[in-house]
Amino acid sequence: MVPEKGIMLYNMSKHMMKDRSIDLSYFSLLFYYLLFSSSIIGAPVLPATASAKLPRRSQYAYAWVLGGIHEDKPSYKGFVWTILISANILRREGSEADFWVYARLSPNSTLYDLPDEDTRLFRALDVNVVPLDKPKKESFAQLVYDKFLTINMTDYKRVMFLDGDMMPMMNLDFY
């Protein structure tokens, strides 16, 4: 599962989803990577309502869209972990960019904000979360259109949108 030398991004989708459920080998890989490669374990638990915008510190930004968040359907968690691992890799490789996640809850969810665990993990890696309104019905097209929200990030010199199944293998700030 190691990409060829020189490849900047690695597409995880073929390893992540099989028949719309999380592949356990992928889950194990992500879990162990997070457990042993980052300092997020042991971070204080923050309430989900604490997800406020942080001030911009860089001229570059990375953005992801996370949708279908439902407390009883953990299939979205694979994308959460990929985003966290991507942020960790980018920081380790010297990125000074800001990280943003546009998060949309499932219309069937009883939550009003991200689950506390997800919020704690994003905060621990300094990932800003922008909660989006719940849609009236579940729609993949809505998630596709949500990608265009990055066009509004005009305070940055450059914004790089990464799909939830893409993993950068090096710092991409200057590309």
Side-chain angles (χ1 to χ4, degrees):
M1 209 159 89
V2 177
E4 297 175 24
K5 187 173 182 163
I7 294 179
M8 295 182 298
L9 292 172
Y10 186 61
N11 189 331
M12 301 294 288
S13 62
K14 64 182 177 181
H15 300 286
M16 189 160 70
M17 304 298 280
K18 288 185 179 175
D19 299 324
R20 302 182 69 108
S21 63
I22 296 176
D23 181 7
L24 290 179
S25 63
Y26 181 74
F27 168 77
S28 300
L29 172 73
L30 288 174
F31 177 76
Y32 287 116
Y33 184 90
L34 283 173
L35 186 63
F36 297 114
S37 296
S38 67
S39 61
I40 63 175
I41 305 302
V45 177
L46 298 172
T49 57
S51 59
K53 292 183 181 179
L54 299 177
R56 184 176 72 85
R57 297 183 315 260
S58 175
Q59 60 182 341
Y60 303 110
Y62 293 90
W64 294 269
V65 171
L66 181 62
I69 301 168
H70 193 286
E71 62 276 11
D72 296 330
K73 298 176 183 174
S75 58
Y76 78 94
K77 292 279 192 182
F79 296 108
V80 170
W81 297 321
T82 303
I83 292 168
L84 292 169
I85 291 171
S86 296
N88 193 29
I89 290 171
L90 288 165
R91 285 283 183 247
R92 187 182 64 216
E93 294 296 319
S95 175
E96 296 178 3
D98 296 336
F99 301 134
W100 292 90
V101 172
Y102 290 95
R104 188 176 297 280
L105 295 171
S106 171
N108 302 325
S109 175
T110 59
L111 300 174
Y112 295 100
D113 204 354
L114 277 177
D116 290 340
E117 176 188 6
D118 298 340
T119 300
R120 178 182 63 83
L121 293 172
F122 283 133
R123 284 238 176 207
L125 288 178
D126 199 21
V127 177
N128 303 300
V129 177
V130 179
L132 301 173
D133 295 334
K134 279 188 190 180
K136 291 184 171 58
K137 63 178 185 169
E138 200 77 53
S139 169
F140 180 74
Q142 179 64 51
L143 288 176
V144 172
Y145 290 126
D146 288 343
K147 295 176 183 184
F148 291 105
L149 292 170
T150 57
I151 293 173
N152 296 329
M153 300 175 75
T154 58
D155 290 343
Y156 291 99
K157 181 177 179 181
R158 178 175 296 136
V159 177
M160 185 171 292
F161 175 81
L162 298 175
D163 274 331
D165 61 351
M166 299 300 289
M167 190 173 296
M169 302 309 291
M170 62 186 294
N171 184 359
L172 301 172
D173 287 3
F174 307 105
Y175 285 95

